[in-house]
Amino acid sequence: MGALGRALLGLQLLALTRAAYKLWIPGTDFEAAANWSQNRTPCAGAAVEFPANKMVSVLVREGHGISDMLLPRDGEFVLASGAGFSAQDASRDQGCGTGAPARFLDPDRFSWHDPRLWRSGDAARGLFSVDAERVPCRHDDVVFPSDASFRVGLGAIPGPARVRSVRALGQTFTRDEDLGPFLASRAGRLRFHGPGALSVGSEACAERSGCVCGNAELQPWICAALLQPLGGRCPPTACRDALRPEGQCCDLCGAIVSLTHGPTFDLERYRERLLQTFLPQYQGVQVAVSKVPRPARPRDTAGAEADAEIQVVLAETRPEPGRARRLARALLADVAEHGEALGVLSATARQSGAPVGDSSAEGLDGAGLRAELAGGVTAALLLLLALAAGALLLLRRARRLRWSRRDRAGPGPGLAPLGFSNPAFGAAGSAEPPQPPQPPQPPAPKLENSSTSRSYFVNPLFAEAEA
């Protein structure tokens, strides 16, 4: 193979490793303990019963001795090499309990929309997906194991479940023209059932910043399937003011960082940055990173894609609080320092509150970064009030000082003199020029007990009268 061929092969392998796909987990194998009423494979010599009115395809990998078998009305056994059944007397094995028949559980219990039944092909330690994205998205490739039997229920939903491709029984379907006849065949009816529809042919995600999953309309059915074992109710959270990320069915404890991004943002590169740089330092925190529809708000970020944003969910998996908050702060600081190189235009964060029953200082400020921001604003307002009060105090002191100096300097030109005009001194012919007429002054306050005052003067007018 030439250099060009090796290069093309390398690019194909890279594209294959980066392809998003979902793998179906449960099967209808005979040897799977979870398929039996006693949660174990039937004992030797046991009686075996299958639901009479159900269609099922069962893969048998080994040889089994049974005393009796009730078969379904419509179904098939797929026998691996060396597998089969033989007649054997009823079991006397003490470990088999009372010897009640081993009943194969309802094969129709597996729903396409149940997030627990899928595994992501790009799963990594420390990463998870929100519930709506655990089910195949419109750009995903769906893979059913070729070495296992399975049965999938397509529930009654408004529209078909749309994916990029489906691989089953060694065939890959990328067009509805090919998938439709397979689903209508006997092999297809044994493996897919229900009133819903399945459609293929979506394009692969070609955006560096990732693509929105497209399961928002299916989320009610996804959450119903997920919560069915819990009676349809979410379990209680261990913190106050829990968060519910976009695409999640129930609240969780942790933090959510929202990123607005430009055309150079690379989702896979950012996810790898979280895995390599941040997660090793914050054990007990799991991260989900994906593009989600952006909440309606003014387009206040120039250059941002207005219809979508990157959601980074930080979920705490350990009882120690505060790890997600510290990681959220680290991510905000990382954006402030390296946002331009990462293609991130802005970042905001919010987080859950203190653990339930915790009154420690760590928990009291657990209202999140929003509470810390509010505290910072309050502190800033208090500081401004203190500065304003200090400035007012200085202004009042300056005014007092100015009036004191004016009092000591005497009345300035054009100002009325303080006190009263003494007719005795006026008759003596003062050298001062005559003063202009003054406005009437209010009567001077009367002094009480003036005989006791030691401040006095001798009036010459009265002295001459006495003479």
Side-chain angles (χ1 to χ4, degrees):
M1 181 183 296
L4 179 60
R6 289 194 296 271
L8 291 176
L9 179 59
L11 290 176
Q12 292 174 356
L13 291 176
L14 178 60
L16 181 62
T17 56
R18 295 190 61 177
Y21 67 91
K22 298 294 195 307
L23 178 66
W24 178 258
I25 299 175
T28 53
D29 292 10
F30 189 94
E31 286 78 15
N35 287 329
W36 297 96
S37 58
Q38 299 171 347
N39 198 30
R40 64 186 178 193
T41 304
C43 299
V48 176
E49 295 182 1
F50 286 87
N53 58 345
K54 299 290 184 179
M55 295 182 66
V56 62
S57 174
V58 180
L59 174 63
V60 184
R61 302 176 185 271
E62 303 173 0
H64 298 275
I66 57 176
S67 61
D68 192 10
M69 178 181 289
L70 178 63
L71 297 175
R73 295 179 181 176
D74 194 352
E76 68 178 14
F77 290 101
V78 180
L79 302 179
S81 177
F85 297 99
S86 60
Q88 185 172 337
D89 292 339
S91 173
R92 298 180 180 178
D93 186 352
Q94 297 294 330
C96 281
T98 60
R103 294 183 174 87
F104 195 85
L105 299 181
D106 183 5
D108 291 351
R109 68 187 186 277
F110 302 122
S111 169
W112 174 284
H113 301 101
D114 191 339
R116 299 169 301 170
L117 307 183
W118 297 97
R119 184 170 70 246
S120 178
D122 58 356
R125 183 178 180 86
L127 293 181
F128 76 101
S129 299
V130 293
D131 296 327
E133 296 173 11
R134 294 164 63 186
V135 174
C137 301
R138 64 185 308 111
H139 302 285
D140 288 343
D141 297 313
V142 175
V143 178
F144 292 94
S146 57
D147 59 345
S149 55
F150 61 91
R151 185 163 173 81
V152 185
L154 302 173
I157 57 177
R162 298 185 181 276
V163 294
R164 181 172 179 264
S165 68
V166 170
R167 181 170 181 78
L169 301 184
Q171 303 179 69
T172 300
F173 302 96
T174 58
R175 302 188 313 159
D176 285 337
E177 292 81 357
D178 300 324
L179 178 63
F182 168 74
L183 295 177
S185 67
R186 174 174 171 77
R189 289 185 289 107
L190 283 171
R191 290 161 179 83
F192 295 91
H193 70 96
L198 181 60
S199 177
V200 296
S202 299
E203 296 294 330
C205 179
E207 298 183 21
R208 296 175 59 186
S209 60
C211 296
V212 175
C213 175
N215 280 342
E217 296 181 355
L218 302 179
Q219 187 162 339
W221 287 268
I222 292 174
C223 293
L226 178 66
L227 300 178
Q228 191 272 336
L230 302 177
R233 296 183 179 182
C234 290
T237 57
C239 61
R240 301 183 179 92
D241 302 321
L243 304 173
R244 183 168 297 186
E246 183 74 23
Q248 190 75 2
C249 293
C250 298
D251 296 341
L252 54 78
C253 299
I256 301 174
V257 178
S258 300
L259 308 176
T260 57
H261 60 89
T264 62
F265 178 80
D266 191 318
L267 182 65
E268 292 299 328
R269 187 178 68 165
Y270 188 75
R271 184 182 284 120
E272 189 67 22
R273 182 179 181 84
L274 293 179
L275 280 173
Q276 301 296 330
T277 305
F278 291 97
L279 282 184
Q281 307 175 42
Y282 296 90
Q283 299 295 325
V285 177
Q286 287 190 329
V287 179
V289 187
S290 61
K291 179 183 283 189
V292 297
R294 189 181 184 193
R297 55 176 176 253
R299 299 184 180 183
D300 52 356
T301 305
E305 297 183 11
D307 59 341
E309 65 184 12
I310 303 303
Q311 177 179 258
V312 184
V313 183
L314 312 176
E316 294 183 340
T317 60
R318 294 183 181 179
E320 301 92 340
R323 295 176 182 267
R325 178 178 59 197
R326 291 192 292 271
L327 179 52
R329 287 175 177 171
L331 295 182
L332 293 181
D334 184 57
V335 169
E337 183 176 359
H338 305 289
E340 184 176 357
L342 296 172
V344 178
L345 303 178
S346 65
T348 59
R350 54 193 177 99
Q351 70 169 47
S352 60
V356 174
D358 183 16
S359 60
S360 62
E362 180 75 17
L364 291 177
D365 62 353
L369 301 179
R370 292 173 297 174
E372 294 180 359
L373 178 60
V377 173
T378 303
L381 290 176
L382 292 177
L383 180 59
L384 289 176
L385 291 176
L387 291 175
L392 181 61
L393 182 60
L394 290 176
L395 180 60
R396 293 182 60 184
R397 293 185 62 183
R399 292 181 59 185
R400 288 180 181 177
L401 180 60
R402 184 168 63 251
W403 282 108
S404 298
R405 290 177 177 175
R406 183 179 300 175
D407 292 342
R408 289 195 297 268
L415 295 178
L418 299 177
F420 62 91
S421 178
N422 194 324
F425 294 108
S430 172
E432 297 181 1
Q435 300 292 330
Q438 303 292 329
Q441 299 292 330
K446 295 182 180 181
L447 298 177
E448 300 293 337
N449 299 327
S450 59
S451 60
T452 61
S453 175
R454 296 186 180 182
S455 299
Y456 65 93
F457 63 95
V458 177
N459 192 326
L461 179 61
F462 294 105
E464 292 180 0
E466 289 178 358

